[in-house]
Amino acid sequence: TAQLMQRIYKSVDNKDSKFLVGCVPVKPPVPTTTNSEQTNNFSKKVTEETLNQSTPTSDLHEYGCAARIIRLERPVGGKGGRFFAVVEGIARIHIDQYVSGGPYLEAEVTVYPEPVMPNDDQELQDLAISLKSTGRELFIILQDLKLPVQMLTQLQRFIDGASAGSLADLLVSTVEPPYEEKLRILDAHDLKTRMTNAIDIVTRQIHILKISQKIHSTVEGKLDKKHKEFYLRQQLNAIKEELGERDDSSTEGDDIADLTRRLQAAGLTPEADKAAQRELKRLKRMHPTQAEYQIVRTYLEWLSEIPWSKGTSDTMDIDNARSQLEEDHYGLETVKKRILEFLAVLKLKDDMKGPILCLLGPPGVGKTSLGKSIASALGRKFHRISLGGVRDEAEIRGHRRTYLGAMPGLIAQGLRRVGVNNPVFLLDEIDKVGHLSLHGDPSAALLEVLDPEQNNTFNDHYLNVPLDLSKVLFIATANQIDPISPPLLDRMELIRISGYTFEEKVHIAKRHLLPKQITYHGLKPGYVKISDEALLKIATGYTCEAGVRNFEREIAGVCRAKAVEYAYANDNGKKDTYRPEVTINDIMTILGMEKFCNDIAERTTDPGVVTGLAWTATGSGGILFIEATQMPGKGNLQLTGKLGEVIKESAQISISWVRAHSFQLGITTASTESTFFSQRDVHIHFPSGAVAKDGPSAGVALITALVSLFTHRCVPPTTAMTGEITLRGQVLPVGGIKEKIIAAHRAGIDKVILPSRNRKDVDGDVPVNVKEKIKIVYVDNVYDVLQEAFDGEKIWVEPSSIVGVESRL
Ligand code: ADP
């Protein structure tokens, strides 16, 4: 062997050496199967086996190849004298017989040199042409598969110039057919057989390649669309970078880095941090063109913008707060006092666990601006959350992220807007929030927001991590109590603000509204001076409201007109002619005709018409007229004016009471007479037919109207009344007394009839100057009402003098 090795070494070094070895393949396993997988496994096994032991000659194939050793290679990690020899085939050989089994096999062989193509054999010529075109076809496919260039050029070279036999050999070795096929080609020393077999094998392989290429391209086509954009973007970025135009914020990596930085700076709570890390990890794995990417990104942005740990420090000084409230608002003494108490307790306790303040009153009385004053007195940020029309629980609590276009709720949005965790949140119009419905229960969600025991872990569905609302100061506003859900009402402490009298409005205008409007219109203080009488004229003639919002609007109208006047005078160099004073006459020219005629005394009086006092849906009071008329008919009662169930029932009670007492009241001439009512129809109408009305408080006015109708007596239009009645004629107390009296005062009423059990409401709340101008009388039953309504006249006969009529109450 040593001798052999030496010859081998020599031959490797010397290119011209004639030293050749015979290479013979191992026979395939005997019961040959056509399963190519098995054969391939076999060939692998053969190499491993032959490494370890010598194969008996009977297992060797009879054809082989004479080869020159080009290179010796030590296998990776190989030990001892074991080598791989890289050989180059020279010619086919046939093993005729083995002559020595010694250290290495020696045999007698027949050599089959490469045959030359005979010029006169047309069949062989045709086969050669066919082989070449098969070769070209293979070349084209392999080119598409992007095989190494070296391999392709070699193939090209062979197709163009090599002999038909070599080309057949190369093509077969290129397509890697199963082991047996390879042997078949090795055996084919005859040119015709070899070419036929080669064309057969290669064509089959080309077919397989084509099919796999087709599958590949359809899959690729599907992927393409998604990835194309990504690749284009990457290229665009590369180009931009090259041009030095790269926009740092637009690239994905920087985007995530930026988000990470912002999240770190946001001081997240442990829970929020966990969620943020989880989502960041997901984001990094995602493709920016995926729809989900934006969703996760937006979520993380929200997390980074919620003020988890940022807050302002309170500058609470009770004295300061007092002067702030005084400065911003005229009057409202009890309200301001209560707010100061609230703030003082807040300062001492240093937590928000008290009840929630709820400012209750009609529009435009300063509820929102009181909230603002509280915030600025505390040095806190202010945010108004408008709850009017919130029907869906998700508006407060947010949508779950599984919904398309999901958003956090109003509370989380508010926190992001103010950027601190201890703002003042004004929950505006809490009475307008929807209750339990198809879309959840917004008021239940609010309950959680306002509950100090729960609101340190408020769960917004979108953010899905607990939010701490315990540092937020909530203040609510409402127009009415009734629509507020009882549990919510239970959390809140009500502070009533019940509208202003004309005098108060004039004061508010002088001190607040006018100076504010003057600066709004670009004028300097003192450029518009409206006299008190003129202000009163604006309030009485152009507005009809409990608050001051329209009043402010009309004042703004005056300021606009004055601004034009001033600008004109200024432009034309006639500054001296400008007059800041505004008189009653000017008001008429600027604002036009009076919009409201409040002089109730000018109304004509008719039997059957009575002035009632109402409390409207916005919480302001007002007067309303009740008209009753009778006509020949069949005893029907007709009611019009968009009335609710309760007010209709009051009308029925009234007519029953009047019928029951008709003889006593002098309507019928005999106590047994029944035809009077069965021969006539009664129609009752509440004017302003488009405004919905309901409630029991029109009862006394209804009875009075009917009695007035049937007895042909008039009630003075300046006498107004309110109160619920029972079938037995008792008068029960009603709500909104202060608002109603102030509204009556505004309307020019001089006498008000009230249930005596409402006396406490008048004593405490109603401004003194109103009480001085209006005569308030208290009644217990319908007889008292009638006596007061008809100017003290007793229009009924005392029951004791009537035989057979039930006694008076
Ligand atoms: P609300 O929230 O009750 O509907 P706003 O707070 O919006 O009413 O008040 C409307 C306007 O009236 C605001 O400009 C406010 O400053 C002003 N205003 C209301 N009441 C007073 C008052 N007592 N003193 C000064 N300004 C007032």
Side-chain angles (χ1 to χ4, degrees):
T1 343
Q3 215 180 0
L4 175 73
M5 282 313 290
Q6 236 170 15
R7 287 182 70 184
I8 292 177
Y9 282 136
K10 252 198 208 146
S11 80
V12 171
D13 286 342
N14 180 7
K15 281 251 165 60
D16 298 322
S17 160
K18 293 272 188 311
F19 177 77
L20 298 178
V21 291
C23 301
V24 185
V26 182
K27 276 185 190 165
V30 181
T32 47
T33 84
T34 44
N35 188 327
S36 68
E37 201 189 337
Q38 263 196 11
T39 3
N40 279 341
N41 284 347
F42 160 71
S43 72
K44 208 192 280 166
K45 217 168 85 203
V46 162
T47 17
E48 276 162 16
E49 270 176 14
T50 37
L51 278 176
N52 299 327
Q53 71 210 36
S54 52
T55 322
T57 51
S58 59
D59 275 353
L60 294 175
H61 193 61
E62 54 193 312
Y63 279 92
C65 188
R68 184 188 296 127
I69 298 174
I70 304 176
R71 209 165 58 238
L72 286 176
E73 275 178 15
R74 209 182 278 277
V76 183
K79 295 185 227 85
R82 187 176 285 165
F83 295 98
F84 281 136
V86 179
V87 299
E88 181 190 34
I90 303 290
R92 280 183 172 67
I93 49 171
H94 179 261
I95 311 288
D96 296 336
Q97 118 182 61
Y98 287 101
V99 288
S100 148
Y104 52 90
L105 288 177
E106 284 180 38
E108 279 177 12
V109 300
T110 313
V111 180
Y112 295 101
E114 197 53 45
V116 188
M117 175 80 83
N119 279 338
D120 51 348
D121 190 334
Q122 192 54 45
E123 198 192 342
L124 277 186
Q125 299 277 1
D126 291 349
L127 268 176
I129 293 171
S130 169
L131 182 70
K132 256 190 196 183
S133 69
T134 316
R136 287 215 179 84
E137 208 180 329
L138 180 69
F139 178 79
I140 291 168
I141 292 177
L142 294 184
Q143 226 176 7
D144 281 351
L145 289 182
K146 305 205 167 57
L147 256 60
V149 187
Q150 255 179 333
M151 203 165 150
L152 288 172
T153 43
Q154 194 193 19
L155 187 60
Q156 177 87 61
R157 205 153 32 84
F158 268 69
I159 294 170
D160 288 342
S163 69
S166 321
L167 179 60
D169 288 348
L170 183 82
L171 288 182
V172 172
S173 74
T174 310
V175 297
E176 287 276 349
Y179 190 65
E180 280 147 318
E181 307 255 43
K182 283 185 187 168
L183 290 187
R184 202 139 62 87
I185 292 290
L186 181 64
D187 298 357
H189 51 86
D190 162 50
L191 201 55
K192 190 173 149 195
T193 332
R194 198 179 327 161
M195 284 199 288
T196 326
N197 283 347
I199 292 173
D200 178 36
I201 293 168
V202 175
T203 313
R204 212 163 347 112
Q205 213 60 28
I206 286 175
H207 202 66
I208 294 169
L209 280 174
K210 272 186 180 164
I211 291 174
S212 71
Q213 207 173 25
K214 197 170 155 199
I215 296 170
H216 182 74
S217 65
T218 32
V219 173
E220 204 169 54
K222 278 182 200 156
L223 287 178
D224 247 12
K225 264 188 203 154
K226 265 193 178 177
H227 287 264
K228 196 169 159 198
E229 205 186 315
F230 174 62
Y231 288 127
L232 285 177
R233 256 181 225 294
Q234 292 286 323
Q235 275 174 0
L236 188 70
N237 282 342
I239 293 170
K240 277 190 177 168
E241 200 166 358
E242 204 59 34
L243 292 172
E245 289 176 359
R246 204 170 110 167
D247 173 11
D248 281 342
S249 63
S250 75
T251 57
E252 175 203 355
D254 285 357
D255 199 24
I256 293 178
D258 182 44
L259 255 183
T260 318
R261 220 173 306 122
R262 272 154 60 193
L263 283 167
Q264 269 162 6
L268 305 183
T269 56
E271 288 101 335
D273 192 47
K274 218 164 112 194
Q277 293 311 330
R278 189 180 58 226
E279 295 297 317
L280 257 181
K281 221 185 267 170
R282 275 185 65 203
L283 191 70
K284 281 178 192 157
R285 279 201 304 268
M286 263 179 223
H287 209 280
T289 52
Q290 256 170 289
E292 180 85 4
Y293 184 89
Q294 276 312 323
I295 296 176
V296 175
R297 194 172 169 279
T298 315
Y299 173 74
L300 285 169
E301 260 175 17
W302 268 102
L303 279 188
S304 73
E305 283 170 18
I306 295 284
W308 300 97
S309 43
K310 250 181 279 164
T312 50
S313 47
D314 286 355
T315 53
M316 196 163 26
D317 172 348
I318 294 299
D319 239 14
N320 230 345
R322 177 176 295 138
S323 49
Q324 175 89 47
L325 286 173
E326 280 302 327
E327 204 172 289
D328 292 348
H329 293 94
Y330 171 84
L332 303 176
E333 299 311 331
T334 42
V335 177
K336 287 184 205 161
K337 190 167 142 252
R338 181 65 196 92
I339 290 176
L340 279 178
E341 287 165 8
F342 178 81
L343 294 180
V345 173
L346 203 69
K347 183 178 179 179
L348 294 178
K349 255 178 42 173
D350 202 25
D351 71 22
M352 301 285 154
K353 288 200 174 161
I356 310 293
L357 281 190
C358 177
L359 303 169
L360 180 77
V365 292
K367 300 184 296 296
T368 313
S369 67
L370 272 173
K372 274 189 201 155
S373 293
I374 294 175
S376 67
L378 287 172
R380 289 194 179 201
K381 296 226 174 165
F382 176 82
H383 179 67
R384 175 172 160 266
I385 296 178
S386 182
L387 296 175
V390 169
R391 293 273 163 275
D392 193 338
E393 188 177 347
E395 283 182 65
I396 290 167
R397 222 191 256 284
H399 293 92
R400 290 190 194 283
R401 260 194 304 147
T402 42
Y403 290 103
L404 200 68
M407 281 263 279
L410 288 168
I411 304 290
Q413 285 181 30
L415 281 178
R416 175 164 97 155
R417 174 87 40 95
V418 292
V420 289
N421 62 4
N422 61 344
V424 173
F425 272 174
L426 187 87
L427 302 172
D428 213 2
E429 308 206 305
I430 204 163
D431 53 334
K432 306 284 188 301
V433 77
H435 298 303
L436 188 61
S437 73
L438 218 61
H439 304 291
D441 188 351
S443 56
L446 269 185
L447 202 60
E448 194 187 319
V449 170
L450 297 181
D451 186 348
E453 302 302 326
Q454 294 185 43
N455 72 2
N456 55 350
T457 55
F458 173 69
N459 187 19
D460 184 280
H461 286 332
Y462 179 84
L463 297 176
N464 208 16
V465 283
L467 270 179
D468 185 3
L469 303 178
S470 61
K471 295 200 181 81
V472 179
L473 175 60
F474 289 101
I475 298 173
T477 79
N479 292 143
Q480 283 178 300
I481 312 180
D482 299 344
I484 305 177
S485 77
L488 209 51
L489 200 58
D490 192 44
R491 290 264 166 282
M492 298 191 291
E493 172 162 346
L494 296 176
I495 299 185
R496 283 172 198 271
I497 311 175
S498 40
Y500 302 111
T501 61
F502 287 128
E503 287 69 28
E504 282 173 320
K505 287 187 184 180
V506 170
H507 281 291
I508 293 173
K510 268 204 298 193
R511 274 185 44 188
H512 300 277
L513 307 181
L514 186 58
K516 195 158 77 182
Q517 289 304 326
I518 290 175
T519 31
Y520 271 171
H521 287 84
L523 298 166
K524 294 208 179 71
Y527 278 28
V528 180
K529 290 181 183 158
I530 310 181
S531 67
D532 287 6
E533 297 79 48
L535 282 173
L536 190 65
K537 185 82 211 162
I538 301 176
T540 54
Y542 297 85
T543 68
C544 180
E545 55 173 357
V548 293
R549 205 168 280 153
N550 282 322
F551 189 29
E552 188 169 10
R553 229 167 264 151
E554 298 296 338
I555 291 174
V558 175
C559 290
R560 263 197 310 276
K562 292 309 269 185
V564 173
E565 233 176 79
Y566 179 79
Y568 179 80
N570 208 12
D571 288 351
N572 294 304
K574 296 184 204 158
K575 238 171 163 176
D576 305 341
T577 60
Y578 176 75
R579 229 172 15 94
E581 289 82 17
V582 181
T583 62
I584 293 193
N585 286 342
D586 296 332
I587 299 289
M588 297 285 247
T589 32
I590 294 171
L591 298 180
M593 287 285 287
E594 275 184 49
K595 292 178 191 163
F596 297 93
C597 176
N598 278 316
D599 206 349
I600 203 146
E602 286 170 17
R603 280 181 69 100
T604 52
T605 51
D606 277 319
V609 179
V610 166
T611 313
L613 287 174
W615 195 27
T616 62
T618 53
S620 30
I623 59 164
L624 98 179
F625 299 103
I626 297 170
E627 300 175 348
T629 185
Q630 54 171 327
M631 61 211 90
K634 293 180 184 153
N636 293 328
L637 171 67
Q638 198 180 355
L639 297 167
T640 51
K642 216 174 173 206
L643 309 180
E645 282 306 311
V646 181
I647 206 165
K648 279 183 189 164
E649 284 171 6
S650 290
Q652 260 144 12
I653 296 171
S654 308
I655 201 142
S656 296
W657 189 88
V658 173
R659 281 178 71 170
H661 298 84
S662 54
F663 176 64
Q664 188 191 1
L665 290 165
I667 296 169
T668 53
T669 46
S671 63
T672 50
E673 184 179 337
S674 60
T675 49
F676 182 85
F677 286 98
S678 62
Q679 284 173 358
R680 58 196 75 207
D681 287 349
V682 175
H683 184 166
I684 301 174
H685 177 62
F686 290 71
S688 291
V691 183
K693 305 161 195 82
D694 203 2
S697 67
V700 294
L702 278 163
I703 285 198
T704 313
L706 289 173
V707 173
S708 152
L709 176 70
F710 293 126
T711 58
H712 309 288
R713 284 191 170 82
C714 294
V715 180
T718 49
T719 299
M721 58 196 77
T722 186
E724 181 177 349
I725 46 155
T726 68
L727 203 51
R728 309 266 303 165
Q730 266 173 318
V731 175
L732 302 180
V734 290
I737 292 296
K738 184 182 172 191
E739 287 78 7
K740 286 174 176 173
I741 293 180
I742 291 176
H745 170 68
R746 264 201 306 274
I749 300 286
D750 55 23
K751 178 174 175 181
V752 172
I753 302 173
L754 293 184
S756 41
R757 275 156 69 187
N758 276 120
R759 192 187 291 265
K760 59 177 191 322
D761 301 310
V762 177
D763 289 349
D765 294 349
V766 179
V768 178
N769 64 338
V770 174
K771 279 194 268 191
E772 279 168 1
K773 291 210 178 105
I774 289 187
K775 183 178 173 208
I776 299 174
V777 293
Y778 298 100
V779 293
D780 288 313
N781 54 54
V782 178
Y783 294 103
D784 297 345
V785 174
L786 294 179
Q787 187 167 5
E788 291 297 344
F790 297 114
D791 275 337
E793 190 186 343
K794 278 192 184 174
I795 60 162
W796 66 93
V797 186
E798 282 297 339
S800 53
S801 59
I802 308 169
V803 183
V805 173
E806 63 178 298
S807 70
R808 180 187 157 191
L809 292 173

